[in-house]
Amino acid sequence: MIRLENVHKSFGDLEVLKGINLHVKEGEKVVIIGPSGSGKSTLIRCMNYLEEPTSGKVYIHNHLMSRSRRAFINKIHSSMVFQQFNLYPHMTVLDNLTLAPVKLKKIPRKEAEQTAMGYLKRVGLEEKAHVYPTTLSGGQQQRIAIARALTMQNRIIFFDEPTSALDPEMVQEVLDVMIELSHEKNFTMVVVTHEMGFAREVADRIVFVDGGVILEEGTPEHFFTNPQNERTKAFLSKIIR
Amino acid sequence: MSEIQGSLKMITNGSVLLYLIKGLGFTVVIAVFAVLLGLVIGTILALARNYCTSKKTVIFKWLSTAYIEIFRNTPLMLWIFIGLVYFPSVNVSAGFSKALGLSRTEIALLIKGIIALVLFTSSVIAEIVRGGLNSIPKGQFEAAYSQGFGIVRTLTLIVLPQTFRNIIPTLLSQVITTVKDTSYIANIAVAELLGRTFQVIQISPRYTGFTSQNVSDVFVLCGLACVMYFAINFTLSCIVRRLQKPKVRKPVSV
């Protein structure tokens, strides 16, 4: 489904990813964790080519990613939810949800709106369809962003620290939506997060990244109860009290 | 005192007043036209300067940068005189010339002036648009790319609509500046307000009943021009100020 082969990424002199090999299977829920500055955000952004790797290969569904094929591959395979929501502020919530299906997949507007309303209902915000995103709280905006990611009906969804910019009391409402999504067998989810409770509950596999390399990966059970790597242990001891 | 009264006769003279008001009309039309055309050219320049960064297209970035910097950093007057000599003389139809109430030579000169004004204004507007583009968060591009939009539709559907909305006040300010800039055209053509004001001053004795020009003629006619420019621009400024007032945000509902 998603395959990264020896991916390196440098920003100027700073090498952020130092050879990442990762294979995410169809339907798998993978949670990437690691200290800040470890490269985990860069890693997930390389998967849909928001960052172009300096070297190495990214395959989505056996399509080799490239700068020129990014738009096409993202259109048919993946969606992303961002830390800062990145809703389009000049459009209503409903238009945010229907823009890509109507413009990219040529779905008739009526049909796209029906689908969109369905997803808004799913995230519990159907009554906000005709307001502008800036009038909503962070938690609501992020739920809308998740609904927007779903409207393209792609099988892969990337979550790049979806709860990190939220006020604490709004984190749970977003996590609840994500947990509900994770019950769907055919969704492949890759999540960068600091929410360990969520990782434990949802992940099929946890990937621990530090210093631009994958230090350890395994099931949540293995990861939280019996970590092997020293740095994993140190990281966990800091965040789990 | 009688001199002033003589001069005032000019603006109570319907035909003189109408002549000047038509001049004001030309001024406004030229300014709006220059800003609109400047907006089209300026947007293309701004996009080229900002986003033509790949190896194949970088030449456009340098061309537009050169254009913007040259016209922004040289006086408009200079380009009007250069235009007078080097820009093409456009021959308009007799009917068009009659409709505008200007001779064909005057229109040819006027067009040269307008071309210079558009060249100049588009470079200024390019930088306004670029400022607007740069104020759009990177996340907007990333959201669009992640959905599968390419650069062209990302710009046209998502980035430019927000940019234009953000720069409306600055663009209106530029209209104010451009209304004033049209007066430079008075140096080569008699069509807009200031050019016509000068024209009337030169032949003032014809209307005042005196045998020679008086200082009060200048006072009255330039005063009238002042009032007209002021009325237009002050109205625009008020609109700008209203648009720039921070909008009252609805309280966030949770």
Short mmCIF file of all heavy atoms in Angstrom, two decimals, chain A residues 65-117:
data_model
loop_
_atom_site.label_atom_id
_atom_site.label_comp_id
_atom_site.label_asym_id
_atom_site.label_seq_id
_atom_site.Cartn_x
_atom_site.Cartn_y
_atom_site.Cartn_z
N MET A 65 6.08 7.52 -6.54
CA MET A 65 5.79 8.94 -6.36
C MET A 65 6.84 9.80 -7.05
O MET A 65 8.03 9.47 -7.03
CB MET A 65 5.80 9.27 -4.88
CG MET A 65 4.43 9.39 -4.26
SD MET A 65 3.61 10.88 -4.81
CE MET A 65 2.27 10.92 -3.63
N SER A 66 6.39 10.90 -7.63
CA SER A 66 7.34 11.89 -8.12
C SER A 66 6.65 13.24 -8.05
O SER A 66 5.44 13.32 -7.85
CB SER A 66 7.72 11.60 -9.57
OG SER A 66 6.62 11.83 -10.41
N ARG A 67 7.43 14.28 -8.22
CA ARG A 67 6.88 15.62 -8.15
C ARG A 67 5.74 15.80 -9.15
O ARG A 67 4.69 16.34 -8.84
CB ARG A 67 8.00 16.63 -8.42
CG ARG A 67 7.63 18.08 -8.23
CD ARG A 67 7.36 18.32 -6.77
NE ARG A 67 6.83 19.65 -6.54
CZ ARG A 67 7.54 20.63 -6.03
NH1 ARG A 67 8.80 20.44 -5.68
NH2 ARG A 67 6.99 21.81 -5.83
N SER A 68 5.96 15.27 -10.36
CA SER A 68 4.97 15.51 -11.40
C SER A 68 3.74 14.62 -11.24
O SER A 68 2.68 14.94 -11.75
CB SER A 68 5.60 15.29 -12.77
OG SER A 68 6.17 14.01 -12.83
N ARG A 69 3.90 13.49 -10.53
CA ARG A 69 2.74 12.61 -10.38
C ARG A 69 2.03 12.80 -9.04
O ARG A 69 1.05 12.13 -8.74
CB ARG A 69 3.17 11.16 -10.54
CG ARG A 69 3.31 10.80 -12.02
CD ARG A 69 3.31 9.32 -12.22
NE ARG A 69 4.59 8.76 -11.81
CZ ARG A 69 4.88 7.47 -11.91
NH1 ARG A 69 3.97 6.64 -12.37
NH2 ARG A 69 6.05 7.02 -11.54
N ARG A 70 2.57 13.73 -8.24
CA ARG A 70 2.02 13.93 -6.90
C ARG A 70 0.52 14.23 -6.94
O ARG A 70 -0.27 13.60 -6.22
CB ARG A 70 2.75 15.08 -6.21
CG ARG A 70 2.11 15.50 -4.90
CD ARG A 70 2.85 16.63 -4.26
NE ARG A 70 2.64 17.89 -4.96
CZ ARG A 70 3.24 19.03 -4.63
NH1 ARG A 70 4.11 19.05 -3.64
NH2 ARG A 70 2.99 20.13 -5.30
N ALA A 71 0.12 15.18 -7.78
CA ALA A 71 -1.29 15.59 -7.80
C ALA A 71 -2.17 14.40 -8.14
O ALA A 71 -3.18 14.14 -7.49
CB ALA A 71 -1.49 16.72 -8.81
N PHE A 72 -1.77 13.66 -9.18
CA PHE A 72 -2.58 12.52 -9.63
C PHE A 72 -2.69 11.45 -8.55
O PHE A 72 -3.78 10.95 -8.25
CB PHE A 72 -1.97 11.94 -10.91
CG PHE A 72 -2.63 10.68 -11.36
CD1 PHE A 72 -3.90 10.71 -11.91
CD2 PHE A 72 -1.99 9.46 -11.21
CE1 PHE A 72 -4.52 9.55 -12.32
CE2 PHE A 72 -2.61 8.29 -11.62
CZ PHE A 72 -3.87 8.34 -12.17
N ILE A 73 -1.56 11.10 -7.95
CA ILE A 73 -1.57 10.01 -6.96
C ILE A 73 -2.34 10.42 -5.70
O ILE A 73 -3.14 9.66 -5.17
CB ILE A 73 -0.13 9.56 -6.65
CG1 ILE A 73 0.48 8.90 -7.89
CG2 ILE A 73 -0.11 8.59 -5.47
CD1 ILE A 73 1.92 8.49 -7.74
N ASN A 74 -2.12 11.66 -5.25
CA ASN A 74 -2.86 12.10 -4.07
C ASN A 74 -4.35 12.15 -4.35
O ASN A 74 -5.17 11.87 -3.47
CB ASN A 74 -2.38 13.48 -3.63
CG ASN A 74 -1.01 13.43 -2.97
OD1 ASN A 74 -0.55 12.35 -2.58
ND2 ASN A 74 -0.37 14.56 -2.84
N LYS A 75 -4.70 12.52 -5.57
CA LYS A 75 -6.11 12.64 -5.92
C LYS A 75 -6.84 11.30 -5.78
O LYS A 75 -7.93 11.23 -5.24
CB LYS A 75 -6.24 13.16 -7.36
CG LYS A 75 -7.67 13.26 -7.84
CD LYS A 75 -7.76 13.95 -9.18
CE LYS A 75 -7.54 12.98 -10.31
NZ LYS A 75 -7.77 13.59 -11.64
N ILE A 76 -6.18 10.24 -6.25
CA ILE A 76 -6.92 8.97 -6.26
C ILE A 76 -6.61 8.08 -5.06
O ILE A 76 -7.32 7.10 -4.85
CB ILE A 76 -6.68 8.18 -7.57
CG1 ILE A 76 -5.19 7.90 -7.76
CG2 ILE A 76 -7.25 8.92 -8.77
CD1 ILE A 76 -4.92 6.96 -8.92
N HIS A 77 -5.58 8.40 -4.27
CA HIS A 77 -5.23 7.45 -3.22
C HIS A 77 -5.26 7.98 -1.79
O HIS A 77 -5.55 7.24 -0.88
CB HIS A 77 -3.84 6.85 -3.48
CG HIS A 77 -3.83 5.91 -4.65
ND1 HIS A 77 -4.69 4.85 -4.73
CD2 HIS A 77 -3.08 5.90 -5.76
CE1 HIS A 77 -4.46 4.20 -5.86
NE2 HIS A 77 -3.50 4.82 -6.51
N SER A 78 -4.92 9.25 -1.59
CA SER A 78 -4.73 9.65 -0.20
C SER A 78 -5.29 11.02 0.12
O SER A 78 -5.53 11.84 -0.76
CB SER A 78 -3.24 9.64 0.13
OG SER A 78 -2.59 10.70 -0.52
N SER A 79 -5.54 11.22 1.41
CA SER A 79 -5.96 12.51 1.93
C SER A 79 -5.15 12.80 3.17
O SER A 79 -4.54 11.90 3.73
CB SER A 79 -7.45 12.51 2.30
OG SER A 79 -8.23 12.23 1.16
N MET A 80 -5.15 14.07 3.60
CA MET A 80 -4.34 14.39 4.77
C MET A 80 -5.10 15.33 5.71
O MET A 80 -5.84 16.20 5.27
CB MET A 80 -3.03 15.05 4.34
CG MET A 80 -2.02 15.15 5.48
SD MET A 80 -0.44 15.80 4.91
CE MET A 80 0.71 14.79 5.81
N VAL A 81 -4.87 15.11 7.00
CA VAL A 81 -5.41 16.01 8.02
C VAL A 81 -4.21 16.66 8.70
O VAL A 81 -3.25 15.99 9.06
CB VAL A 81 -6.26 15.23 9.04
CG1 VAL A 81 -6.71 16.14 10.17
CG2 VAL A 81 -7.45 14.58 8.35
N PHE A 82 -4.27 18.00 8.82
CA PHE A 82 -3.10 18.75 9.26
C PHE A 82 -3.24 19.22 10.71
O PHE A 82 -4.34 19.37 11.23
CB PHE A 82 -2.90 19.98 8.38
CG PHE A 82 -2.63 19.66 6.94
CD1 PHE A 82 -3.68 19.44 6.06
CD2 PHE A 82 -1.34 19.60 6.46
CE1 PHE A 82 -3.44 19.16 4.72
CE2 PHE A 82 -1.10 19.30 5.13
CZ PHE A 82 -2.14 19.09 4.26
N GLN A 83 -2.09 19.54 11.28
CA GLN A 83 -2.09 20.10 12.62
C GLN A 83 -2.89 21.40 12.67
O GLN A 83 -3.65 21.64 13.60
CB GLN A 83 -0.63 20.36 13.04
CG GLN A 83 -0.47 20.87 14.44
CD GLN A 83 1.00 20.99 14.84
OE1 GLN A 83 1.89 20.63 14.08
NE2 GLN A 83 1.25 21.49 16.01
N GLN A 84 -2.69 22.25 11.66
CA GLN A 84 -3.36 23.56 11.65
C GLN A 84 -4.66 23.54 10.86
O GLN A 84 -5.10 24.58 10.37
CB GLN A 84 -2.42 24.62 11.07
CG GLN A 84 -1.14 24.82 11.85
CD GLN A 84 -1.39 25.39 13.24
OE1 GLN A 84 -2.46 25.92 13.51
NE2 GLN A 84 -0.42 25.26 14.13
N PHE A 85 -5.28 22.42 10.70
CA PHE A 85 -6.58 22.23 10.01
C PHE A 85 -6.51 22.56 8.52
O PHE A 85 -6.95 21.78 7.69
CB PHE A 85 -7.72 23.02 10.66
CG PHE A 85 -7.57 23.26 12.14
CD1 PHE A 85 -7.76 24.52 12.68
CD2 PHE A 85 -7.21 22.22 12.99
CE1 PHE A 85 -7.61 24.73 14.04
CE2 PHE A 85 -7.07 22.42 14.35
CZ PHE A 85 -7.27 23.69 14.88
N ASN A 86 -6.02 23.79 8.21
CA ASN A 86 -5.89 24.23 6.82
C ASN A 86 -7.20 24.13 6.03
O ASN A 86 -7.20 23.74 4.87
CB ASN A 86 -4.80 23.45 6.09
CG ASN A 86 -3.44 23.69 6.69
OD1 ASN A 86 -3.26 24.64 7.46
ND2 ASN A 86 -2.48 22.87 6.36
N LEU A 87 -8.30 24.49 6.68
CA LEU A 87 -9.54 24.62 5.92
C LEU A 87 -9.43 25.87 5.06
O LEU A 87 -8.63 26.77 5.35
CB LEU A 87 -10.73 24.74 6.87
CG LEU A 87 -11.01 23.48 7.70
CD1 LEU A 87 -12.07 23.75 8.75
CD2 LEU A 87 -11.43 22.32 6.82
N TYR A 88 -10.22 25.92 3.96
CA TYR A 88 -10.17 27.10 3.10
C TYR A 88 -11.09 28.17 3.67
O TYR A 88 -12.31 28.02 3.66
CB TYR A 88 -10.61 26.72 1.68
CG TYR A 88 -9.83 25.55 1.11
CD1 TYR A 88 -10.47 24.50 0.49
CD2 TYR A 88 -8.44 25.51 1.21
CE1 TYR A 88 -9.77 23.42 -0.03
CE2 TYR A 88 -7.71 24.43 0.70
CZ TYR A 88 -8.39 23.40 0.08
OH TYR A 88 -7.68 22.34 -0.43
N PRO A 89 -10.53 29.28 4.17
CA PRO A 89 -11.34 30.23 4.93
C PRO A 89 -12.33 31.03 4.09
O PRO A 89 -13.26 31.60 4.63
CB PRO A 89 -10.29 31.17 5.55
CG PRO A 89 -9.10 31.05 4.68
CD PRO A 89 -9.11 29.66 4.13
N HIS A 90 -12.13 31.04 2.76
CA HIS A 90 -13.03 31.84 1.93
C HIS A 90 -14.23 31.04 1.46
O HIS A 90 -15.03 31.53 0.66
CB HIS A 90 -12.26 32.40 0.73
CG HIS A 90 -11.66 31.35 -0.16
ND1 HIS A 90 -10.78 30.40 0.30
CD2 HIS A 90 -11.82 31.10 -1.47
CE1 HIS A 90 -10.43 29.62 -0.70
NE2 HIS A 90 -11.04 30.02 -1.79
N MET A 91 -14.37 29.81 1.94
CA MET A 91 -15.50 28.99 1.53
C MET A 91 -16.25 28.51 2.75
O MET A 91 -15.67 28.35 3.82
CB MET A 91 -15.00 27.74 0.79
CG MET A 91 -14.25 28.04 -0.46
SD MET A 91 -13.65 26.47 -1.13
CE MET A 91 -12.72 27.10 -2.51
N THR A 92 -17.55 28.24 2.54
CA THR A 92 -18.30 27.66 3.64
C THR A 92 -17.81 26.24 3.89
O THR A 92 -17.07 25.67 3.08
CB THR A 92 -19.81 27.58 3.31
OG1 THR A 92 -19.97 26.71 2.19
CG2 THR A 92 -20.37 28.96 2.98
N VAL A 93 -18.21 25.69 5.02
CA VAL A 93 -17.82 24.34 5.37
C VAL A 93 -18.21 23.37 4.25
O VAL A 93 -17.40 22.54 3.81
CB VAL A 93 -18.50 23.94 6.70
CG1 VAL A 93 -18.42 22.44 6.92
CG2 VAL A 93 -17.83 24.69 7.86
N LEU A 94 -19.43 23.50 3.75
CA LEU A 94 -19.89 22.57 2.71
C LEU A 94 -19.03 22.70 1.44
O LEU A 94 -18.66 21.70 0.83
CB LEU A 94 -21.37 22.84 2.39
CG LEU A 94 -22.05 21.80 1.51
CD1 LEU A 94 -22.04 20.43 2.17
CD2 LEU A 94 -23.49 22.21 1.20
N ASP A 95 -18.70 23.95 1.07
CA ASP A 95 -17.86 24.15 -0.12
C ASP A 95 -16.46 23.59 0.10
O ASP A 95 -15.83 23.09 -0.84
CB ASP A 95 -17.79 25.63 -0.48
CG ASP A 95 -19.10 26.15 -1.04
OD1 ASP A 95 -19.89 25.30 -1.49
OD2 ASP A 95 -19.33 27.36 -1.01
N ASN A 96 -15.95 23.69 1.32
CA ASN A 96 -14.68 23.07 1.65
C ASN A 96 -14.70 21.58 1.34
O ASN A 96 -13.73 21.02 0.84
CB ASN A 96 -14.37 23.26 3.14
CG ASN A 96 -13.45 24.42 3.41
OD1 ASN A 96 -12.24 24.29 3.30
ND2 ASN A 96 -14.02 25.57 3.72
N LEU A 97 -15.84 20.96 1.67
CA LEU A 97 -15.95 19.51 1.50
C LEU A 97 -16.18 19.11 0.05
O LEU A 97 -15.78 18.02 -0.36
CB LEU A 97 -17.08 18.96 2.38
CG LEU A 97 -16.66 18.45 3.77
CD1 LEU A 97 -16.12 19.58 4.62
CD2 LEU A 97 -17.82 17.78 4.47
N THR A 98 -16.85 19.97 -0.72
CA THR A 98 -17.22 19.56 -2.07
C THR A 98 -16.22 20.02 -3.14
O THR A 98 -16.26 19.52 -4.26
CB THR A 98 -18.62 20.09 -2.46
OG1 THR A 98 -18.63 21.51 -2.26
CG2 THR A 98 -19.70 19.46 -1.61
N LEU A 99 -15.34 20.96 -2.79
CA LEU A 99 -14.45 21.52 -3.81
C LEU A 99 -13.68 20.44 -4.57
O LEU A 99 -13.75 20.36 -5.81
CB LEU A 99 -13.46 22.51 -3.17
CG LEU A 99 -12.50 23.17 -4.15
CD1 LEU A 99 -13.24 24.22 -4.98
CD2 LEU A 99 -11.33 23.84 -3.42
N ALA A 100 -12.95 19.61 -3.84
CA ALA A 100 -12.11 18.61 -4.52
C ALA A 100 -12.94 17.55 -5.26
O ALA A 100 -12.64 17.25 -6.42
CB ALA A 100 -11.15 17.97 -3.53
N PRO A 101 -13.99 16.98 -4.63
CA PRO A 101 -14.79 16.01 -5.39
C PRO A 101 -15.37 16.59 -6.68
O PRO A 101 -15.35 15.94 -7.72
CB PRO A 101 -15.91 15.62 -4.41
CG PRO A 101 -15.36 15.91 -3.07
CD PRO A 101 -14.43 17.06 -3.23
N VAL A 102 -15.85 17.84 -6.61
CA VAL A 102 -16.48 18.43 -7.80
C VAL A 102 -15.42 18.78 -8.85
O VAL A 102 -15.58 18.48 -10.03
CB VAL A 102 -17.30 19.69 -7.41
CG1 VAL A 102 -17.73 20.44 -8.67
CG2 VAL A 102 -18.52 19.28 -6.59
N LYS A 103 -14.33 19.41 -8.41
CA LYS A 103 -13.34 19.88 -9.39
C LYS A 103 -12.41 18.77 -9.87
O LYS A 103 -11.97 18.79 -11.02
CB LYS A 103 -12.49 21.01 -8.78
CG LYS A 103 -13.26 22.24 -8.38
CD LYS A 103 -13.69 23.04 -9.60
CE LYS A 103 -14.48 24.26 -9.15
NZ LYS A 103 -15.13 24.95 -10.28
N LEU A 104 -12.10 17.83 -8.98
CA LEU A 104 -11.10 16.83 -9.36
C LEU A 104 -11.72 15.52 -9.82
O LEU A 104 -11.23 14.88 -10.74
CB LEU A 104 -10.15 16.55 -8.19
CG LEU A 104 -9.21 17.69 -7.82
CD1 LEU A 104 -8.43 17.34 -6.57
CD2 LEU A 104 -8.25 17.99 -8.96
N LYS A 105 -12.80 15.11 -9.15
CA LYS A 105 -13.39 13.83 -9.53
C LYS A 105 -14.62 14.00 -10.39
O LYS A 105 -15.28 13.02 -10.74
CB LYS A 105 -13.72 13.02 -8.26
CG LYS A 105 -12.44 12.60 -7.52
CD LYS A 105 -12.62 11.35 -6.69
CE LYS A 105 -11.25 10.79 -6.33
NZ LYS A 105 -11.29 9.84 -5.21
N LYS A 106 -14.95 15.27 -10.71
CA LYS A 106 -16.06 15.57 -11.62
C LYS A 106 -17.38 14.96 -11.14
O LYS A 106 -18.20 14.50 -11.94
CB LYS A 106 -15.76 15.07 -13.05
CG LYS A 106 -14.43 15.54 -13.59
CD LYS A 106 -14.44 17.03 -13.86
CE LYS A 106 -13.06 17.51 -14.32
NZ LYS A 106 -12.82 18.90 -13.99
N ILE A 107 -17.54 14.92 -9.83
CA ILE A 107 -18.79 14.42 -9.28
C ILE A 107 -19.81 15.56 -9.34
O ILE A 107 -19.47 16.70 -9.01
CB ILE A 107 -18.58 13.93 -7.83
CG1 ILE A 107 -17.70 12.69 -7.84
CG2 ILE A 107 -19.91 13.66 -7.13
CD1 ILE A 107 -17.17 12.28 -6.50
N PRO A 108 -21.06 15.30 -9.78
CA PRO A 108 -22.05 16.38 -9.84
C PRO A 108 -22.22 17.04 -8.46
O PRO A 108 -22.17 16.34 -7.44
CB PRO A 108 -23.34 15.65 -10.25
CG PRO A 108 -22.90 14.38 -10.86
CD PRO A 108 -21.59 14.02 -10.23
N ARG A 109 -22.42 18.36 -8.47
CA ARG A 109 -22.44 19.09 -7.21
C ARG A 109 -23.48 18.53 -6.23
O ARG A 109 -23.19 18.36 -5.05
CB ARG A 109 -22.71 20.58 -7.49
CG ARG A 109 -22.80 21.43 -6.23
CD ARG A 109 -22.77 22.89 -6.57
NE ARG A 109 -21.46 23.29 -7.09
CZ ARG A 109 -20.41 23.55 -6.30
NH1 ARG A 109 -20.52 23.45 -5.00
NH2 ARG A 109 -19.27 23.90 -6.84
N LYS A 110 -24.69 18.26 -6.74
CA LYS A 110 -25.76 17.75 -5.86
C LYS A 110 -25.30 16.50 -5.12
O LYS A 110 -25.47 16.36 -3.91
CB LYS A 110 -27.00 17.41 -6.71
CG LYS A 110 -27.96 18.58 -6.89
CD LYS A 110 -28.96 18.59 -5.73
CE LYS A 110 -29.84 19.83 -5.64
NZ LYS A 110 -29.37 21.06 -6.18
N GLU A 111 -24.73 15.59 -5.90
CA GLU A 111 -24.29 14.32 -5.34
C GLU A 111 -23.17 14.54 -4.32
O GLU A 111 -23.15 13.96 -3.23
CB GLU A 111 -23.81 13.43 -6.49
CG GLU A 111 -23.59 11.97 -6.13
CD GLU A 111 -22.99 11.21 -7.30
OE1 GLU A 111 -23.36 11.52 -8.46
OE2 GLU A 111 -22.16 10.33 -7.06
N ALA A 112 -22.22 15.41 -4.69
CA ALA A 112 -21.09 15.70 -3.79
C ALA A 112 -21.60 16.31 -2.49
O ALA A 112 -21.09 16.01 -1.41
CB ALA A 112 -20.11 16.65 -4.47
N GLU A 113 -22.62 17.16 -2.60
CA GLU A 113 -23.15 17.79 -1.38
C GLU A 113 -23.84 16.76 -0.49
O GLU A 113 -23.71 16.82 0.74
CB GLU A 113 -24.12 18.92 -1.75
CG GLU A 113 -23.38 20.16 -2.20
CD GLU A 113 -24.29 21.33 -2.56
OE1 GLU A 113 -25.53 21.17 -2.51
OE2 GLU A 113 -23.75 22.39 -2.91
N GLN A 114 -24.53 15.82 -1.11
CA GLN A 114 -25.17 14.77 -0.30
C GLN A 114 -24.12 13.96 0.44
O GLN A 114 -24.25 13.70 1.63
CB GLN A 114 -26.00 13.85 -1.20
CG GLN A 114 -27.42 14.35 -1.39
CD GLN A 114 -28.19 13.53 -2.41
OE1 GLN A 114 -27.72 12.48 -2.85
NE2 GLN A 114 -29.35 14.02 -2.79
N THR A 115 -23.08 13.56 -0.30
CA THR A 115 -22.00 12.80 0.33
C THR A 115 -21.39 13.62 1.47
O THR A 115 -21.17 13.11 2.57
CB THR A 115 -20.91 12.49 -0.70
OG1 THR A 115 -21.52 12.09 -1.90
CG2 THR A 115 -19.98 11.41 -0.20
N ALA A 116 -21.14 14.89 1.18
CA ALA A 116 -20.51 15.76 2.18
C ALA A 116 -21.38 15.86 3.43
O ALA A 116 -20.87 15.78 4.56
CB ALA A 116 -20.25 17.14 1.59
N MET A 117 -22.68 16.02 3.23
CA MET A 117 -23.57 16.12 4.40
C MET A 117 -23.50 14.84 5.22
O MET A 117 -23.54 14.89 6.46
CB MET A 117 -25.02 16.39 3.95
CG MET A 117 -25.28 17.80 3.44
SD MET A 117 -24.73 19.14 4.52
CE MET A 117 -25.90 19.00 5.86
#
